[in-house]
Amino acid sequence: MVSRMFRLETEVDTSRRDLLRRRLRDTNTAASPVLRALRGTPGERELPFHVWALDDAGAVAGGLVGHTWATWLHVTYLWVDGRHRGAGLGSHLLAQAERVARDERGCASVRLETWDFQAPEFYQKQGYDVVCVIPDYPPGITEYTLVKRLR
């Protein structure tokens, strides 16, 4: 039980958010030798990561957006225009991202999330393993987290 009275607020406050982020980072750094070793190294920063597929007219036919951090590629979005689906473009985008992440960014693994109606089977065919399943996120949809080792 809380022994003091606290005022709880629900307002969005970016300066408090930043303070909380710094304090959590300090707490995590103190508790984890792995995170402590990352501090001050290039691997500490999240770096944007994009791969684009352009058609003959220069329009986006597909793309992959994410970031690299601490020897991981995190794929946030992978999308292929409906006119180009089924031709292997998604596989090519993902393979290129994995190659660049491994060879140029030193990544050893990839992680991503997808919903049941999107592409869990596609990723499994590309060698990804399901490590988390969250039913009803959002309601009526299942979210999957998948990972793949690159080395």
Side-chain angles (χ1 to χ4, degrees), residues 116-146:
D116 55 5
F117 65 88
Q118 290 177 320
E121 296 86 10
F122 164 78
Y123 292 113
Q124 288 175 299
K125 288 178 186 173
Q126 309 304 316
Y128 286 74
D129 296 314
V130 174
V131 295
C132 180
V133 177
I134 305 174
D136 270 348
Y137 185 75
I141 296 173
T142 299
E143 181 181 85
Y144 294 86
T145 300
L146 298 98

mmCIF file of all heavy atoms in Angstrom, residues 116-146:
data_model
loop_
_atom_site.group_PDB
_atom_site.id
_atom_site.type_symbol
_atom_site.label_atom_id
_atom_site.label_comp_id
_atom_site.label_asym_id
_atom_site.label_seq_id
_atom_site.Cartn_x
_atom_site.Cartn_y
_atom_site.Cartn_z
ATOM 1 N N ASP A 116 -2.161 -11.130 -38.064
ATOM 2 C CA ASP A 116 -2.561 -12.412 -38.658
ATOM 3 C C ASP A 116 -3.039 -12.277 -40.100
ATOM 4 O O ASP A 116 -2.811 -13.173 -40.905
ATOM 5 C CB ASP A 116 -3.613 -13.128 -37.801
ATOM 6 C CG ASP A 116 -4.857 -12.293 -37.498
ATOM 7 O OD1 ASP A 116 -5.011 -11.161 -38.017
ATOM 8 O OD2 ASP A 116 -5.691 -12.782 -36.718
ATOM 9 N N PHE A 117 -3.642 -11.149 -40.465
ATOM 10 C CA PHE A 117 -4.138 -10.975 -41.828
ATOM 11 C C PHE A 117 -3.071 -10.408 -42.769
ATOM 12 O O PHE A 117 -3.296 -10.273 -43.962
ATOM 13 C CB PHE A 117 -5.385 -10.079 -41.854
ATOM 14 C CG PHE A 117 -5.124 -8.665 -41.417
ATOM 15 C CD1 PHE A 117 -4.713 -7.702 -42.330
ATOM 16 C CD2 PHE A 117 -5.288 -8.303 -40.089
ATOM 17 C CE1 PHE A 117 -4.471 -6.394 -41.926
ATOM 18 C CE2 PHE A 117 -5.063 -6.999 -39.680
ATOM 19 C CZ PHE A 117 -4.649 -6.042 -40.595
ATOM 20 N N GLN A 118 -1.910 -10.077 -42.212
ATOM 21 C CA GLN A 118 -0.836 -9.533 -43.037
ATOM 22 C C GLN A 118 0.058 -10.658 -43.545
ATOM 23 O O GLN A 118 -0.223 -11.216 -44.603
ATOM 24 C CB GLN A 118 -0.028 -8.495 -42.256
ATOM 25 C CG GLN A 118 -0.781 -7.209 -42.001
ATOM 26 C CD GLN A 118 0.029 -6.231 -41.164
ATOM 27 O OE1 GLN A 118 0.706 -6.628 -40.225
ATOM 28 N NE2 GLN A 118 -0.056 -4.965 -41.493
ATOM 29 N N ALA A 119 1.126 -10.975 -42.831
ATOM 30 C CA ALA A 119 2.124 -11.844 -43.461
ATOM 31 C C ALA A 119 2.900 -12.780 -42.532
ATOM 32 O O ALA A 119 4.071 -13.029 -42.785
ATOM 33 C CB ALA A 119 3.105 -10.959 -44.222
ATOM 34 N N PRO A 120 2.312 -13.335 -41.472
ATOM 35 C CA PRO A 120 3.140 -14.218 -40.637
ATOM 36 C C PRO A 120 3.701 -15.409 -41.418
ATOM 37 O O PRO A 120 4.866 -15.785 -41.221
ATOM 38 C CB PRO A 120 2.218 -14.660 -39.503
ATOM 39 C CG PRO A 120 0.842 -14.286 -39.910
ATOM 40 C CD PRO A 120 0.962 -13.202 -40.935
ATOM 41 N N GLU A 121 2.921 -15.972 -42.313
ATOM 42 C CA GLU A 121 3.399 -17.127 -43.086
ATOM 43 C C GLU A 121 4.513 -16.727 -44.043
ATOM 44 O O GLU A 121 5.464 -17.485 -44.248
ATOM 45 C CB GLU A 121 2.245 -17.780 -43.864
ATOM 46 C CG GLU A 121 1.171 -18.377 -42.987
ATOM 47 C CD GLU A 121 0.114 -17.352 -42.562
ATOM 48 O OE1 GLU A 121 0.103 -16.202 -43.095
ATOM 49 O OE2 GLU A 121 -0.689 -17.693 -41.672
ATOM 50 N N PHE A 122 4.416 -15.550 -44.637
ATOM 51 C CA PHE A 122 5.468 -15.040 -45.519
ATOM 52 C C PHE A 122 6.792 -14.984 -44.770
ATOM 53 O O PHE A 122 7.820 -15.456 -45.258
ATOM 54 C CB PHE A 122 5.091 -13.649 -46.039
ATOM 55 C CG PHE A 122 6.233 -12.882 -46.635
ATOM 56 C CD1 PHE A 122 6.693 -13.163 -47.909
ATOM 57 C CD2 PHE A 122 6.862 -11.875 -45.914
ATOM 58 C CE1 PHE A 122 7.761 -12.456 -48.465
ATOM 59 C CE2 PHE A 122 7.920 -11.162 -46.448
ATOM 60 C CZ PHE A 122 8.377 -11.460 -47.731
ATOM 61 N N TYR A 123 6.791 -14.406 -43.584
ATOM 62 C CA TYR A 123 8.031 -14.279 -42.820
ATOM 63 C C TYR A 123 8.565 -15.645 -42.397
ATOM 64 O O TYR A 123 9.777 -15.873 -42.424
ATOM 65 C CB TYR A 123 7.826 -13.371 -41.607
ATOM 66 C CG TYR A 123 7.583 -11.934 -42.002
ATOM 67 C CD1 TYR A 123 6.354 -11.329 -41.775
ATOM 68 C CD2 TYR A 123 8.578 -11.176 -42.609
ATOM 69 C CE1 TYR A 123 6.125 -10.008 -42.141
ATOM 70 C CE2 TYR A 123 8.359 -9.857 -42.983
ATOM 71 C CZ TYR A 123 7.130 -9.286 -42.740
ATOM 72 O OH TYR A 123 6.916 -7.985 -43.119
ATOM 73 N N GLN A 124 7.686 -16.550 -42.027
ATOM 74 C CA GLN A 124 8.139 -17.894 -41.652
ATOM 75 C C GLN A 124 8.801 -18.586 -42.844
ATOM 76 O O GLN A 124 9.807 -19.281 -42.668
ATOM 77 C CB GLN A 124 6.978 -18.713 -41.104
ATOM 78 C CG GLN A 124 6.560 -18.232 -39.722
ATOM 79 C CD GLN A 124 5.341 -18.939 -39.194
ATOM 80 O OE1 GLN A 124 4.260 -18.876 -39.788
ATOM 81 N NE2 GLN A 124 5.515 -19.620 -38.080
ATOM 82 N N LYS A 125 8.294 -18.373 -44.048
ATOM 83 C CA LYS A 125 8.928 -18.937 -45.249
ATOM 84 C C LYS A 125 10.305 -18.332 -45.495
ATOM 85 O O LYS A 125 11.143 -18.945 -46.143
ATOM 86 C CB LYS A 125 8.042 -18.712 -46.479
ATOM 87 C CG LYS A 125 6.803 -19.573 -46.507
ATOM 88 C CD LYS A 125 5.958 -19.265 -47.731
ATOM 89 C CE LYS A 125 4.653 -20.012 -47.677
ATOM 90 N NZ LYS A 125 3.746 -19.614 -48.774
ATOM 91 N N GLN A 126 10.541 -17.131 -44.965
ATOM 92 C CA GLN A 126 11.845 -16.467 -45.115
ATOM 93 C C GLN A 126 12.796 -16.830 -43.974
ATOM 94 O O GLN A 126 13.875 -16.255 -43.856
ATOM 95 C CB GLN A 126 11.662 -14.938 -45.145
ATOM 96 C CG GLN A 126 10.637 -14.423 -46.120
ATOM 97 C CD GLN A 126 10.870 -14.854 -47.558
ATOM 98 O OE1 GLN A 126 11.986 -14.807 -48.049
ATOM 99 N NE2 GLN A 126 9.814 -15.279 -48.217
ATOM 100 N N GLY A 127 12.394 -17.781 -43.124
ATOM 101 C CA GLY A 127 13.265 -18.254 -42.049
ATOM 102 C C GLY A 127 13.042 -17.603 -40.704
ATOM 103 O O GLY A 127 13.845 -17.784 -39.783
ATOM 104 N N TYR A 128 11.968 -16.860 -40.541
ATOM 105 C CA TYR A 128 11.671 -16.204 -39.272
ATOM 106 C C TYR A 128 10.915 -17.154 -38.348
ATOM 107 O O TYR A 128 10.119 -17.973 -38.805
ATOM 108 C CB TYR A 128 10.844 -14.933 -39.498
ATOM 109 C CG TYR A 128 11.661 -13.803 -40.056
ATOM 110 C CD1 TYR A 128 12.077 -13.803 -41.384
ATOM 111 C CD2 TYR A 128 12.045 -12.741 -39.253
ATOM 112 C CE1 TYR A 128 12.855 -12.781 -41.892
ATOM 113 C CE2 TYR A 128 12.822 -11.705 -39.759
ATOM 114 C CZ TYR A 128 13.222 -11.740 -41.074
ATOM 115 O OH TYR A 128 13.993 -10.724 -41.581
ATOM 116 N N ASP A 129 11.181 -17.011 -37.052
ATOM 117 C CA ASP A 129 10.509 -17.810 -36.030
ATOM 118 C C ASP A 129 9.568 -16.930 -35.220
ATOM 119 O O ASP A 129 9.930 -15.817 -34.832
ATOM 120 C CB ASP A 129 11.528 -18.439 -35.069
ATOM 121 C CG ASP A 129 12.442 -19.428 -35.759
ATOM 122 O OD1 ASP A 129 11.934 -20.273 -36.525
ATOM 123 O OD2 ASP A 129 13.662 -19.354 -35.535
ATOM 124 N N VAL A 130 8.380 -17.448 -34.936
ATOM 125 C CA VAL A 130 7.426 -16.747 -34.084
ATOM 126 C C VAL A 130 7.906 -16.877 -32.638
ATOM 127 O O VAL A 130 8.132 -17.984 -32.158
ATOM 128 C CB VAL A 130 6.007 -17.329 -34.237
ATOM 129 C CG1 VAL A 130 5.049 -16.695 -33.241
ATOM 130 C CG2 VAL A 130 5.494 -17.167 -35.662
ATOM 131 N N VAL A 131 8.076 -15.746 -31.968
ATOM 132 C CA VAL A 131 8.508 -15.774 -30.565
ATOM 133 C C VAL A 131 7.449 -15.214 -29.616
ATOM 134 O O VAL A 131 7.577 -15.345 -28.403
ATOM 135 C CB VAL A 131 9.847 -15.023 -30.350
ATOM 136 C CG1 VAL A 131 10.973 -15.727 -31.092
ATOM 137 C CG2 VAL A 131 9.737 -13.566 -30.758
ATOM 138 N N CYS A 132 6.417 -14.592 -30.175
ATOM 139 C CA CYS A 132 5.358 -14.039 -29.337
ATOM 140 C C CYS A 132 4.074 -13.956 -30.158
ATOM 141 O O CYS A 132 4.109 -13.580 -31.327
ATOM 142 C CB CYS A 132 5.750 -12.643 -28.844
ATOM 143 S SG CYS A 132 4.512 -11.853 -27.799
ATOM 144 N N VAL A 133 2.969 -14.329 -29.528
ATOM 145 C CA VAL A 133 1.646 -14.218 -30.138
ATOM 146 C C VAL A 133 0.759 -13.476 -29.139
ATOM 147 O O VAL A 133 0.661 -13.884 -27.975
ATOM 148 C CB VAL A 133 1.044 -15.603 -30.452
ATOM 149 C CG1 VAL A 133 -0.358 -15.473 -31.030
ATOM 150 C CG2 VAL A 133 1.952 -16.389 -31.382
ATOM 151 N N ILE A 134 0.133 -12.389 -29.603
ATOM 152 C CA ILE A 134 -0.748 -11.611 -28.735
ATOM 153 C C ILE A 134 -2.138 -11.591 -29.363
ATOM 154 O O ILE A 134 -2.381 -10.872 -30.334
ATOM 155 C CB ILE A 134 -0.238 -10.166 -28.550
ATOM 156 C CG1 ILE A 134 1.203 -10.167 -28.041
ATOM 157 C CG2 ILE A 134 -1.162 -9.409 -27.591
ATOM 158 C CD1 ILE A 134 1.828 -8.786 -27.973
ATOM 159 N N PRO A 135 -3.047 -12.413 -28.851
ATOM 160 C CA PRO A 135 -4.402 -12.403 -29.383
ATOM 161 C C PRO A 135 -5.136 -11.115 -29.014
ATOM 162 O O PRO A 135 -4.854 -10.496 -27.986
ATOM 163 C CB PRO A 135 -5.080 -13.608 -28.716
ATOM 164 C CG PRO A 135 -4.126 -14.173 -27.743
ATOM 165 C CD PRO A 135 -2.852 -13.396 -27.805
ATOM 166 N N ASP A 136 -6.064 -10.719 -29.874
ATOM 167 C CA ASP A 136 -6.912 -9.548 -29.624
ATOM 168 C C ASP A 136 -6.126 -8.248 -29.482
ATOM 169 O O ASP A 136 -6.492 -7.374 -28.690
ATOM 170 C CB ASP A 136 -7.783 -9.754 -28.373
ATOM 171 C CG ASP A 136 -9.111 -10.381 -28.722
ATOM 172 O OD1 ASP A 136 -9.440 -10.448 -29.924
ATOM 173 O OD2 ASP A 136 -9.827 -10.802 -27.805
ATOM 174 N N TYR A 137 -5.052 -8.109 -30.283
ATOM 175 C CA TYR A 137 -4.272 -6.861 -30.260
ATOM 176 C C TYR A 137 -4.142 -6.329 -31.665
ATOM 177 O O TYR A 137 -3.250 -6.765 -32.391
ATOM 178 C CB TYR A 137 -2.886 -7.080 -29.636
ATOM 179 C CG TYR A 137 -2.118 -5.789 -29.487
ATOM 180 C CD1 TYR A 137 -2.449 -4.880 -28.491
ATOM 181 C CD2 TYR A 137 -1.085 -5.477 -30.349
ATOM 182 C CE1 TYR A 137 -1.752 -3.690 -28.357
ATOM 183 C CE2 TYR A 137 -0.384 -4.275 -30.220
ATOM 184 C CZ TYR A 137 -0.723 -3.400 -29.222
ATOM 185 O OH TYR A 137 -0.044 -2.219 -29.099
ATOM 186 N N PRO A 138 -5.046 -5.442 -32.096
ATOM 187 C CA PRO A 138 -6.236 -4.945 -31.423
ATOM 188 C C PRO A 138 -7.348 -5.993 -31.420
ATOM 189 O O PRO A 138 -7.181 -7.057 -32.028
ATOM 190 C CB PRO A 138 -6.607 -3.724 -32.271
ATOM 191 C CG PRO A 138 -6.126 -4.061 -33.639
ATOM 192 C CD PRO A 138 -4.866 -4.867 -33.436
ATOM 193 N N PRO A 139 -8.485 -5.703 -30.763
ATOM 194 C CA PRO A 139 -9.545 -6.707 -30.663
ATOM 195 C C PRO A 139 -9.909 -7.322 -32.017
ATOM 196 O O PRO A 139 -10.086 -6.614 -33.004
ATOM 197 C CB PRO A 139 -10.724 -5.906 -30.076
ATOM 198 C CG PRO A 139 -10.048 -4.839 -29.260
ATOM 199 C CD PRO A 139 -8.819 -4.467 -30.071
ATOM 200 N N GLY A 140 -9.940 -8.649 -32.032
ATOM 201 C CA GLY A 140 -10.283 -9.384 -33.244
ATOM 202 C C GLY A 140 -9.097 -9.718 -34.127
ATOM 203 O O GLY A 140 -9.236 -10.411 -35.129
ATOM 204 N N ILE A 141 -7.911 -9.229 -33.787
ATOM 205 C CA ILE A 141 -6.695 -9.437 -34.586
ATOM 206 C C ILE A 141 -5.620 -10.025 -33.681
ATOM 207 O O ILE A 141 -5.550 -9.709 -32.498
ATOM 208 C CB ILE A 141 -6.220 -8.104 -35.210
ATOM 209 C CG1 ILE A 141 -7.268 -7.586 -36.194
ATOM 210 C CG2 ILE A 141 -4.861 -8.255 -35.872
ATOM 211 C CD1 ILE A 141 -6.985 -6.204 -36.739
ATOM 212 N N THR A 142 -4.800 -10.887 -34.243
ATOM 213 C CA THR A 142 -3.663 -11.445 -33.509
ATOM 214 C C THR A 142 -2.384 -10.833 -34.037
ATOM 215 O O THR A 142 -2.176 -10.767 -35.244
ATOM 216 C CB THR A 142 -3.609 -12.980 -33.664
ATOM 217 O OG1 THR A 142 -4.819 -13.517 -33.126
ATOM 218 C CG2 THR A 142 -2.418 -13.572 -32.938
ATOM 219 N N GLU A 143 -1.537 -10.372 -33.116
ATOM 220 C CA GLU A 143 -0.230 -9.829 -33.493
ATOM 221 C C GLU A 143 0.836 -10.886 -33.225
ATOM 222 O O GLU A 143 0.797 -11.583 -32.223
ATOM 223 C CB GLU A 143 0.105 -8.575 -32.698
ATOM 224 C CG GLU A 143 1.452 -7.993 -33.113
ATOM 225 C CD GLU A 143 1.842 -6.749 -32.345
ATOM 226 O OE1 GLU A 143 2.415 -6.889 -31.254
ATOM 227 O OE2 GLU A 143 1.552 -5.661 -32.845
ATOM 228 N N TYR A 144 1.791 -10.973 -34.164
ATOM 229 C CA TYR A 144 2.920 -11.893 -34.043
ATOM 230 C C TYR A 144 4.213 -11.096 -34.000
ATOM 231 O O TYR A 144 4.374 -10.142 -34.756
ATOM 232 C CB TYR A 144 2.990 -12.826 -35.264
ATOM 233 C CG TYR A 144 1.827 -13.768 -35.375
ATOM 234 C CD1 TYR A 144 0.648 -13.381 -35.996
ATOM 235 C CD2 TYR A 144 1.915 -15.054 -34.856
ATOM 236 C CE1 TYR A 144 -0.421 -14.245 -36.103
ATOM 237 C CE2 TYR A 144 0.838 -15.924 -34.955
ATOM 238 C CZ TYR A 144 -0.317 -15.514 -35.571
ATOM 239 O OH TYR A 144 -1.375 -16.373 -35.668
ATOM 240 N N THR A 145 5.122 -11.501 -33.140
ATOM 241 C CA THR A 145 6.490 -11.001 -33.163
ATOM 242 C C THR A 145 7.356 -12.143 -33.677
ATOM 243 O O THR A 145 7.251 -13.275 -33.192
ATOM 244 C CB THR A 145 6.971 -10.569 -31.758
ATOM 245 O OG1 THR A 145 6.108 -9.540 -31.285
ATOM 246 C CG2 THR A 145 8.409 -10.057 -31.814
ATOM 247 N N LEU A 146 8.183 -11.846 -34.683
ATOM 248 C CA LEU A 146 9.048 -12.854 -35.286
ATOM 249 C C LEU A 146 10.487 -12.386 -35.251
ATOM 250 O O LEU A 146 10.764 -11.181 -35.291
ATOM 251 C CB LEU A 146 8.631 -13.129 -36.734
ATOM 252 C CG LEU A 146 7.229 -13.696 -36.917
ATOM 253 C CD1 LEU A 146 6.258 -12.605 -37.281
ATOM 254 C CD2 LEU A 146 7.211 -14.775 -37.972
#
